[in-house]
């Protein structure tokens, strides 16, 4: 089993290189890490890795958006956030050095869109701010501050004044940011 | 078949294909036995077969009544063979394709949901159907045995499986559906292109090429599309079918496969390039633990290493090696020999460590080089090379620094508008690279404070109280810092003066401290003053980012002051040496006269007296002295850096870790704790180190080599130290903001460090008996000498004309004017840019409003239409009722202008059409 699962076919590898922003080494590395995460105890070669296992990766462990990231990149039918190897590669590709601003901002939007309704409304923003300030009470913003902050955000980036931030507005804001591209990265 | 015509052209095209498909099957089965059919025809048939097969598999999702199609095909496949009809059909199919692309998508949507209730029964039928088709597929494959690749099977089996999966998955989100629409469009284009392939006229070839190009473009941009991998794979593989078809065309075969090879090569080359970047993995590891700001230091270090590599290559390859290989050997002339009085101690380690003794009389320093114009069998112009390398290193450094700065500025682009302060804070403040829980906690804290600060600032921008106190404190802090700077400057000046006194009296009488006083004082000041500044800066209560810049500016001023005091003192030393040199010169003539007078009076035929070069008196050679000073400075600086690293970081970490068990308070989180990695201090240290290299490299060619060594060791040592004994910074910054700030500092340092070097080269005459320029009045005379003797006369003349002030001054003026012109144009461009930005924004807003209105209107119309439809349907049928509300919510939530494909689906009345179609189909 080990022999078959740890080897990536050559043509598949080149296809993956074609389709992602990753280099060959990175894909192989990702494959290695992924196959380490895969379930082996039950003897079955399971193609998906559950979200809990993915979240044990040190790169994702301390990320406040880790669950969202898994949900966004998962193509699972069960909506459980489990990732196949291809989903995993998608994830790494979007977070890689050479990914474009467009794709990064697209995924960032979907990560921040907590209820998956295609827009960032006040509730999404509140969740977003809460995950940015951490779980502990002493770092959390008070209700007043939160209201102020969200109204400020909406004032800046909600161009059509419909009370929500949609994808194009989001990309408009993000594209001006000097350090989004350099910080929206995950390196294995 | 009148009913058939009613169903619109879509199903017409479909039937067409089915007929072709069956034709294909028959013909292929024949073709398997008799291979010698005309190539052209076969190709065409195969291609058509591919298309129809693929189409058939795609259509399976949308086809409603396959049985009818089966009945018809028998009539049709006879007519399909007729040449006259073929062309017409192709045309029809094209039309059908275009409509299909739109309708298929709509239909798919409806079908998935509408048919869900009915498909259960139908599914069985379809399953049978699918099986039938499968059989035929298999047959086909067997017939195509010579092509015999299993992959091909994959290629068109994949989409089939995909589609089936999708159909069976009722909960596919609207998002993925909209994607599948955009997916199907390019595919249908391809089919179109393949359809054209039938005859090989040049125009069609052109079209084919275009199609291939399009496909390639799609593949090239596919990685930039936010699709899941599965979909990308499907598209890619469908293109591999296309490619195989093309392989039959020799021209396009070459064209395509060459492109593929080229792409593969490029990819491999990329891989190779990334594999060649040194320390990439190390830096990435640090990046993932400590965030991007700490990593930015290491990236800067690596960049510096690269520059020093070039400098080292230049000096080593063009100066040191030629002199060592082709120049006169050691001991041949006085400047290359250790003088008699130093010979005894020349090999002592203490002396060598101080770069005296043998080290002083070697290629490492300026004094060793001979002034012989051309050396060795290559006639290598060493003095010229020495001079040009000195100038070249500086010029190269300028070029690199300025180019990097320009590139950084480009990347930053329009980062100057701060209209999205809060949004940026929320959307972009998390550094996804952080993988260390402690760093993450720090980051949470810093983000929270930044939020709170921003809110408070927003509130305070209206009312400002207590500003006087902060202002007073800031002034006080600056005053204190100025005092510190002045004090440190005076201390250095005092120490350097004292050391000159020691040097005059002879260093041998003093201990270690007196000899190394200057360097030690400079290093200690560099160590403790920044801490002092840090304490002072807490008074000021600035935003951390601003505080960091102030801190950097102050340390910069301190270092600069120290460096310049050092240089001034050095200038004094140079004057002293030159005075000494004059005395030696006089003594020399006396000594020579004595030599000749004393031993061999009036005997011209006798051989000249041979005196061992070690005994000949010589000048003090101030250039070597300067070089030595710089080398010593670098060495002591490196040593202090490493020792502070070991004691301040490593020892502290060890003590804290192991004493923590038996101490009365928590050492790890209490007072000493672990040290943070000080990015700004380290970067500044690096920058100043580089400044010293630039300054001293002319007089000590070994400096770049030493620096290279230092940087190399630093890389490993600091990487290790960071990973094992530092904790992440409490204030985590992002790197990009201060990147050009560092570069600007480097540029300033470069400029300031070249100033004294240029001054010494231009205004102080070289020593008379050492170095490559000995015997000349100025160092740059070497250029003139070369021009006179190595170039033809007219060249020298031209050069002298060109360098005459009448020409140079207008040229300079022109340059200044050009700079002014470019500056002003760039300013206007900037302004225009800003205006355009504003215009774009307002236009955007208007568009949004318009679109919103349109969307509302559409929603209203849809509502009305639905009501009407409900009335009608309630009278006739009760089957479909779930679909319309869903689509109406879509129209309200999604901006219609953002996506071309989806927006067409939301046009008023449009979604109704497929529904009607399904109505009529069912009847």
């Amino acid at each position: 089993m080990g022999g078959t699962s740890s080897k990536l076919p050559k043509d598949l590898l080149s296809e993956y290189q074609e389709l992602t922003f990753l280099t060959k080494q990175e894909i192989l590395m990702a494959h290695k890490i992924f196959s380490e995460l895969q379930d082996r105890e039950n003897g079955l070669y399971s193609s998906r890795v559950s979200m809990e296992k993915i979240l044990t990766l040190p790169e994702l462990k301390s990320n406040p958006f880790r669950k969202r990231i898994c949900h966004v990149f998962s193509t699972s039918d069960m909506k459980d956030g489990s990732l196949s190897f291809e989903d995993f590669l998608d994830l790494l590709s979007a977070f890689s050095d050479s990914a474009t601003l467009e794709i990064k901002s697209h995924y960032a939007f979907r990560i921040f869109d907590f209820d998956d309704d295609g827009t960032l409304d006040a509730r999404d923003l509140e969740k977003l701010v809460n995950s940015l300030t951490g779980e502990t009470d002493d770092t959390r913003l008070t209700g007043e501050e939160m209201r102020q902050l969200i109204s400020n955000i909406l004032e800046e980036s909600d161009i059509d004044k419909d009370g929500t931030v949609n994808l194009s507005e989001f990309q408009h804001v993000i594209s001006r940011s000097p350090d989004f591209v350099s910080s929206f990265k995950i390196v294995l | 078949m009148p009913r058939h015509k009613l169903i619109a052209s879509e199903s017409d095209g479909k039937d067409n294909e089915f007929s072709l498909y069956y034709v294909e099957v028959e013909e292929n089965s024949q073709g398997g036995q008799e291979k010698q059919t005309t190539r052209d025809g076969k190709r065409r048939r195969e291609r058509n077969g591919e298309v129809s097969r693929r189409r058939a598999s795609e259509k399976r999702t949308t086809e409603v009544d396959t049985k009818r199609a089966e009945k018809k095909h028998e009539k049709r496949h006879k007519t399909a063979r007729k040449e006259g009809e073929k062309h017409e059909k192709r045309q029809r199919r094209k039309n059908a394709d275009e409509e299909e692309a739109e309708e298929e998508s709509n239909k798919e949507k409806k079908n998935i949901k509408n048919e869900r209730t009915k498909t259960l029964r139908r599914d069985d039928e379809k399953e049978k159907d699918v099986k039938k088709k499968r059989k035929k597929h298999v047959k086909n494959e067997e017939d195509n045995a010579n092509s015999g690749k299993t992959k091909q099977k994959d290629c068109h089996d994949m989409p089939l499986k995909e589609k089936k999966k999708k159909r069976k998955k009722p909960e596919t989100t609207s998002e993925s559906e909209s994607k599948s629409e955009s997916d199907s469009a390019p595919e249908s284009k391809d089919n179109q292109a393949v359809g054209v392939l039938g005859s090989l006229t040049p125009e069609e070839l052109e079209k084919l090429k275009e199609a291939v190009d399009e496909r390639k473009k799609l593949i090239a941009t596919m990685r930039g599309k936010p699709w899941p991998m599965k979909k990308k794979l499907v598209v890619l593989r469908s293109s591999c079918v296309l490619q195989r078809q093309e392989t039959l065309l020799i021209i396009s075969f070459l064209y395509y496969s060459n492109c593929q090879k080229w792409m593969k090569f490029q990819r491999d080359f990329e891989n190779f390039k990334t594999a060649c970047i040194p320390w990439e993995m190390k830096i990435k590891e640090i990046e993932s633990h400590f965030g991007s700001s700490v990593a930015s230091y290491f990236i800067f270090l690596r960049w510096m290493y690269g520059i020093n590599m070039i400098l080292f290559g230049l000096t080593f390859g063009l100066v040191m090696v030629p002199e060592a290989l082709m120049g006169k050997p050691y001991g041949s002339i006085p400047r290359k020999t250790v003088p008699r009085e130093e010979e005894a101690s020349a090999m002592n380690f203490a002396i060598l460590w101080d770069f005296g003794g043998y080290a002083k009389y070697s290629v490492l320093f300026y004094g060793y080089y001979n002034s012989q114009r051309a050396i060795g069998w290559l006639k290598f112009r060493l003095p010229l090379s020495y001079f040009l390398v000195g100038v070249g290193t500086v010029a190269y450094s300028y070029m690199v620094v300025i180019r990097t700065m320009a590139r950084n500025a480009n990347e930053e682009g329009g980062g100057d508008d701060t209209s999205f302060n809060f949004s940026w804070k929320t959307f972009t403040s998390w550094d996804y690279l952080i993988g260390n829980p402690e760093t993450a906690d720090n980051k949470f804290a810093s983000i929270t404070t930044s939020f709170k600060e921003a809110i408070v600032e927003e509130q305070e921008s209206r009312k400002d109280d207590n500003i006087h106190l902060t202002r007073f404190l800031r002034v006080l802090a600056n005053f204190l810092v100025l005092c510190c700077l002045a004090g440190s400057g005076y201390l250095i000046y005092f120490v350097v003066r004292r050391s000159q006194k020691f040097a005059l009296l002879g260093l041998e009488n003093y201990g270690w401290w007196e000899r190394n006083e200057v360097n030690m004082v400079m290093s200690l000041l560099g160590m403790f003053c920044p801490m002092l500044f840090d304490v002072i800066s807490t008074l000021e209560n600035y935003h951390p980012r601003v505080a960091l810049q102030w801190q950097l500016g102050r340390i910069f001023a301190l270092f600069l002051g120290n460096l310049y005091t050092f240089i001034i003192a050095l200038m004094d030393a140079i004057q002293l040496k030159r005075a000494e040199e004059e005395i030696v010169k006089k003594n020399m003539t006396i000594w020579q006269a004595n030599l000749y007078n004393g031993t061999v009076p009036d005997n011209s035929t006798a051989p000249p007296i041979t005196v061992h070069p070690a005994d000949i008196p010589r000048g003090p050679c101030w250039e070597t002295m300067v070089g030595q000073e710089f080398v010593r400075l670098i060495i002591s600086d490196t040593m202090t850096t490493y020792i502070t690293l070991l004691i301040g970081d490593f020892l502290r970490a060890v003590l804290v870790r192991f004493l923590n068990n038996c101490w009365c308070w928590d050492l790890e989180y209490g007072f000493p704790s672990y040290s943070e990695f000080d990015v700004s201090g380290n970067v500044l240290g690096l920058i100043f180190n580089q400044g010293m290299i630039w300054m001293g490299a002319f007089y000590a060619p070994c400096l770049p080599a030493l620096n290279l060594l230092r940087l190399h060791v630093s890389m490993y040592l600091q990487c290790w130290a960071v990973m094992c004994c530092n904790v992440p910074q409490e204030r985590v910054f992002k790197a990009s903001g201060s990147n050009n700030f560092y570069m600007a500092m480097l540029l300033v340092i470069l400029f300031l460090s070249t100033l004294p070097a240029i001054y010494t080269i231009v205004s102080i005459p070289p020593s008379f008996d050492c170095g490559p320029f000995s015997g000349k009045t100025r160092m740059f005379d070497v250029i003139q000498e070369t021009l006179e003797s190595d170039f033809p006369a007219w060249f020298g003349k031209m050069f002298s004309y060109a360098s005459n002030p009448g020409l140079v001054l207008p040229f300079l003026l022109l340059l200044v004017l050009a700079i002014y012109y470019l500056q002003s144009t760039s300013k206007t461009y900037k302004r225009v840019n800003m205006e355009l930005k504003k215009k774009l924004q307002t236009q955007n807003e208007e568009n949004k409003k318009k679109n919103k209105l349109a969307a509302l209107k559409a929603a209203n119309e849809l509502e009305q239409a639905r009501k009407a439809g409900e009335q009608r349907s309630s009278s006739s049928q009760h089957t479909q009722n779930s679909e319309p509300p869903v689509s109406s919510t879509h129209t309200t939530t999604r901006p219609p202008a953002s996506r071309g494909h989806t927006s067409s689906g939301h046009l008023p009345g449009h979604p109704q059409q497929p529904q009607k179609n399904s109505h009529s189909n069912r009847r």
Side-chain angles (χ1 to χ4, degrees), chain B residues 346-402:
Chain B
M347 235 4 231
N348 289 1
F349 180 73
I351 300 280
L352 282 181
W353 183 247
D354 227 16
F355 287 89
Y358 283 109
K360 186 179 171 186
Y361 299 97
S362 68
V363 280
L364 302 183
F365 291 104
Y366 172 93
Y368 182 79
Y369 293 83
N370 197 1
S371 59
Q372 201 180 355
R373 228 175 65 73
I375 55 168
W377 51 272
L378 273 177
K379 298 276 175 233
F380 189 76
R381 267 52 165 185
L382 189 84
L384 180 71
S385 157
Y386 195 101
F387 188 78
L388 288 183
V389 163
V391 174
T393 47
V394 171
Y396 170 77
S397 313
Y398 268 114
M399 208 182 70
V400 169
V401 171
I402 287 177

Side-chain angles (χ1 to χ4, degrees), chain A residues 11-12 14-21 23-26 29 48 58-59 61-65 69 75 77 79 86-87 89-90 93 95 97 100 103 106-107 110-112 117 119-120 125 128-129 131-135 138-141 145 148-149 152-153 156-157 159-162 165-170 172-174 176-180 182-188, chain B residues 151 169 171 173 175 179 219-220 222-230 232-233 236-237 260 263 267-268 270-272 274-275 280-281 284 287-288 292 412 414-415 417-437 440 443-445 447-448 451-452 455 458-459 462 545 734 736-737 837 840-841 844-845 848-849 852 893 895 898-899:
Chain A
D11 46 347
L12 204 60
S14 76
E15 274 176 352
Y16 286 149
Q17 284 184 60
E18 197 81 61
L19 296 177
T20 62
F21 291 103
T23 61
K24 192 175 165 191
Q25 297 97 315
E26 284 168 327
M29 179 86 172
R48 292 191 163 273
E59 287 78 15
K61 209 166 48 188
S62 42
N63 195 319
F65 304 112
I69 291 174
T75 54
D77 304 341
K79 299 268 172 202
E86 289 173 357
D87 300 339
L89 279 186
D90 273 334
S93 170
F95 278 104
D97 260 334
T100 58
I103 198 156
H106 178 270
Y107 279 113
R110 284 176 62 190
I111 288 168
F112 295 157
D117 63 350
T119 57
L120 298 182
L125 289 176
L128 169 58
V129 172
S131 27
L132 276 176
T133 53
E135 285 86 29
D138 55 322
T139 54
R140 202 155 260 200
L141 297 181
E145 283 169 334
Q148 177 91 34
L149 183 63
N152 277 331
I153 294 168
E156 282 169 5
S157 42
I159 296 169
D160 59 359
K161 303 293 173 217
D162 59 350
V165 181
N166 59 36
L167 179 62
S168 52
E169 285 164 350
F170 182 77
H172 175 77
V173 171
I174 288 287
R176 263 130 240 262
S177 164
D179 32 33
F180 173 69
S182 66
S183 66
F184 196 76
K185 277 197 289 189
I186 289 179
V187 186
L188 276 185
Chain B
K151 215 193 151 194
K169 194 165 55 180
E171 66 266 31
T173 57
E175 182 109 12
K179 274 184 203 156
I219 290 171
M222 195 149 52
R223 56 162 91 170
K225 297 215 163 114
W227 299 344
M229 177 77 76
K230 243 181 216 160
K232 289 185 194 166
L233 271 180
L236 184 75
R237 280 175 183 160
Q260 276 244 317
M263 266 163 77
R267 219 164 47 213
D268 287 345
E270 276 307 300
N271 288 344
F272 177 71
T274 47
E280 185 73 1
M281 290 318 287
K284 291 232 159 124
E287 199 171 33
S288 66
S292 50
E412 274 167 23
D417 66 318
T418 52
S419 50
F420 298 117
N421 187 15
F422 283 97
S423 308
W424 284 349
K425 276 208 170 72
T426 24
F427 295 144
T428 69
S429 59
W430 185 259
D431 194 342
Y432 285 74
L433 286 162
I434 292 173
N436 188 337
K443 189 78 189 170
F444 285 137
I447 288 175
T448 314
F451 275 146
K452 283 181 178 167
I455 292 168
E458 180 83 3
Q459 287 164 350
R462 291 148 208 160
R545 206 188 280 257
K734 291 216 208 81
S736 65
K837 228 183 241 171
L840 211 68
Q841 241 162 333
N844 223 8
E845 268 170 56
K848 285 265 159 72
K849 271 178 201 160
K852 222 179 146 190
T893 51
S898 62
R899 272 182 215 161

Side-chain angles (χ1 to χ4, degrees), chain B residues 231-297:
Chain B
K231 222 180 95 164
K232 289 185 194 166
L233 271 180
V234 170
V235 176
L236 184 75
R237 280 175 183 160
S238 74
S239 80
C240 81
V241 174
L242 173 80
Q243 183 203 340
R244 204 156 299 115
Q245 290 153 3
E246 246 105 58
T247 49
L248 297 168
L249 279 167
I250 295 162
I251 305 166
S252 46
F253 167 74
L254 286 174
Y255 183 67
Y256 200 83
S257 68
N258 272 350
C259 284
Q260 276 244 317
K261 264 180 201 159
W262 173 238
M263 266 163 77
K264 190 175 171 347
F265 172 75
Q266 271 181 326
R267 219 164 47 213
D268 287 345
F269 188 67
E270 276 307 300
N271 288 344
F272 177 71
K273 260 200 323 205
T274 47
C276 278
I277 299 173
W279 303 306
E280 185 73 1
M281 290 318 287
K282 257 189 159 59
I283 291 176
K284 291 232 159 124
E285 201 185 340
I286 288 172
E287 199 171 33
S288 66
H289 274 82
F290 291 85
S292 50
S293 78
V294 174
S296 79
Y297 165 72

Side-chain angles (χ1 to χ4, degrees), chain B residues 557-582:
Chain B
L558 171 80
F559 281 6
L560 208 63
N562 293 357
L563 206 62
Y564 260 70
T565 359
F566 176 73
I567 288 165
I568 289 167
L570 217 56
M571 288 292 178
D572 283 353
I574 289 174
Q575 294 307 326
L576 280 178
K577 290 269 174 188
R578 289 202 47 230
E580 200 182 319
E581 195 181 286
E582 287 302 312

